[in-house]
Amino acid sequence: KAMCSGRLQTALLGAGYFVYLLVGAAVFQALERTAEKQEKMAAAQMKEAFLQNFTQLTVAEMEQFMKNLIEAIQSGVYPVGNESQFEESNWDFSNSFFFAGTVVSTIGYGTLHPKTAGGQIFCVFFALFGIPLNIVFLHRVGKMLSLLCKKLGKFLYEKGMRKKKIKFLTLLFFLATGILVFLCLPSVFFQITEGWSYSEGIYFAFITLSTIGFGDYVVGKQSDRKYFSYYRVLVAIWILFGLAWIALLFNL
């Protein structure tokens, strides 16, 4: 009964956690998408005005153009190519879910952030409740994985192995498995999807799962590459389970 109750609590916690992320993603999308369209329109107009008058611009006007361009890029608007960029949004559901995941996990790449007053205020409260929820969820998942460790240890103990050796082999097994599943294999996936080198994929995976999150490498941000639908949702789920693996290592 206790085991069934524990599994039910874990299932409810997991479901509540993902619902929280889904709701957060929907709210961020609703609050930020319109403002982003306006920024893209402004950037396109700025680019058009520059191309029409660049031979007559003064030094001060050129400096202002460069300043506006930098601000646009920092806001996630890249005024390159044709008008097809208006069809793609940094705040579609996939990107919004990815952003919500990076908020509660405290990674915070900094390449995507709310710019409206409503989005910023909501982000404060979303993080205020989401970060503790994330910690509870990771602790719970880590605890469940620890039970698998105990079962593995019990099996080895029944085979006549000493306890110290069992602890060492259990830690080694989960460390090696986690490195393979959460670092090595995803890096191949990032190498194929993003066009990075394998070392860049390893670097990104480590910087992400360690929650350092420099923001120098972020998935799904290259305008010249086509990504499949919900690519960033899949990456967000990888991040969450990768953090659960890190929590398991701390428990061990």
Side-chain angles (χ1 to χ4, degrees):
K1 286 183 179 180
M3 187 175 292
C4 289
S5 177
R7 287 177 180 175
L8 179 61
Q9 288 176 1
T10 302
L12 289 173
L13 177 63
Y17 181 66
F18 278 99
V19 167
Y20 188 81
L21 291 180
L22 290 171
V23 171
V27 174
F28 280 122
Q29 183 182 16
L31 291 172
E32 295 295 326
R33 202 164 188 175
T34 302
E36 182 197 32
K37 285 182 180 178
Q38 293 173 351
E39 287 184 348
K40 285 186 174 182
M41 290 289 291
Q45 290 170 1
M46 177 189 69
K47 176 184 175 182
E48 186 178 350
F50 172 78
L51 292 175
Q52 290 176 353
N53 304 303
F54 72 95
T55 56
Q56 303 170 10
L57 292 178
T58 64
V59 174
E61 288 172 334
M62 190 65 187
E63 290 287 341
Q64 186 61 43
F65 170 78
M66 295 299 293
K67 183 181 177 181
N68 293 340
L69 181 62
I70 291 170
E71 288 177 356
I73 293 172
Q74 288 176 341
S75 298
V77 177
Y78 302 91
V80 294
N82 52 33
E83 293 182 359
S84 64
Q85 63 160 326
F86 290 100
E87 299 172 7
E88 299 176 1
S89 174
N90 289 321
W91 291 102
D92 59 18
F93 189 78
S94 179
N95 287 331
S96 298
F97 185 88
F98 180 79
F99 172 75
T102 59
V103 169
V104 298
S105 60
T106 70
I107 294 172
Y109 292 114
T111 53
L112 184 64
H113 50 274
K115 289 169 279 294
T116 64
Q120 290 170 349
I121 295 298
F122 176 74
C123 187
V124 170
F125 286 99
F126 181 76
L128 189 64
F129 294 100
I131 291 171
L133 177 62
N134 181 66
I135 293 170
V136 172
F137 174 73
L138 293 180
H139 176 72
R140 190 76 183 186
V141 174
K143 200 172 181 180
M144 284 192 67
L145 292 174
S146 295
L147 294 176
L148 293 177
C149 293
K150 288 181 180 179
K151 288 183 179 180
L152 177 61
K154 187 179 180 181
F155 173 78
L156 294 175
Y157 184 74
E158 289 173 352
K159 294 295 181 181
M161 195 173 290
R162 290 183 298 173
K163 286 187 177 181
K164 284 187 177 180
K165 193 173 183 181
I166 289 172
K167 286 182 179 180
F168 173 75
L169 288 177
T170 302
L171 178 60
L172 185 64
F173 172 75
F174 279 95
L175 180 63
T177 304
I179 288 174
L180 177 65
V181 172
F182 294 109
L183 290 178
C184 297
L185 292 180
S187 298
V188 175
F189 176 68
F190 295 136
Q191 184 180 14
I192 296 169
T193 309
E194 298 288 344
W196 298 337
S197 67
Y198 186 72
S199 61
E200 287 174 322
I202 287 281
Y203 170 77
F204 166 77
F206 176 79
I207 292 300
T208 295
L209 296 185
S210 61
T211 70
I212 295 171
F214 288 126
D216 49 349
Y217 287 85
V218 182
V219 295
K221 296 297 290 183
Q222 300 184 63
S223 58
D224 59 337
R225 300 188 76 88
K226 290 291 182 182
Y227 300 101
F228 60 87
S229 299
Y230 297 106
Y231 166 56
R232 299 190 96 190
V233 170
L234 186 63
V235 175
I237 293 171
W238 161 74
I239 290 172
L240 297 176
F241 282 97
L243 292 175
W245 167 63
I246 298 291
L248 168 66
L249 294 182
F250 280 121
N251 284 341
L252 290 178

